[in-house]
Amino acid sequence: SGSTHPCDRERWLEFIFYAHQNRNEIGVEMLAEWLQNDGWDEETSFKLAFEYSFAREILEEYDSYKRK
């Protein structure tokens, strides 16, 4: 279900928040490959990887905004 099921969504957001808090740099390609190795199909893995990348951009901008 990707990140649409409520249980999956919660775990997915926790993953994004954790990566952001710890400043983990995971590129789209790397995350998509990791997800595919974990059994996700290519289309869903790239969808999630781009979603992750966008979420991280938003969090970075938010952090910058708070520092102003």
Side-chain angles (χ1 to χ4, degrees):
S1 67
S3 63
T4 57
H5 188 276
C7 291
D8 294 335
R9 186 90 181 146
E10 185 176 334
R11 286 190 300 262
W12 180 241
L13 291 176
E14 285 176 14
F15 169 72
I16 293 170
F17 295 152
Y18 179 84
H20 179 70
Q21 285 178 332
N22 291 287
R23 302 286 183 223
N24 293 338
E25 296 299 325
I26 305 170
V28 169
E29 293 284 333
M30 180 187 296
L31 181 56
E33 182 179 336
W34 179 76
L35 290 167
Q36 288 173 42
N37 289 337
D38 199 45
W40 294 90
D41 65 80
E42 185 176 4
E43 181 180 345
T44 303
S45 67
F46 273 99
K47 176 187 168 285
L48 289 170
F50 282 116
E51 182 180 303
Y52 165 85
S53 179
F54 183 64
R56 289 294 307 273
E57 287 180 37
I58 290 172
L59 291 169
E60 290 294 331
E61 285 296 317
Y62 177 74
D63 288 348
S64 294
Y65 176 78
K66 284 189 342 186
R67 287 189 287 265
K68 290 181 183 181

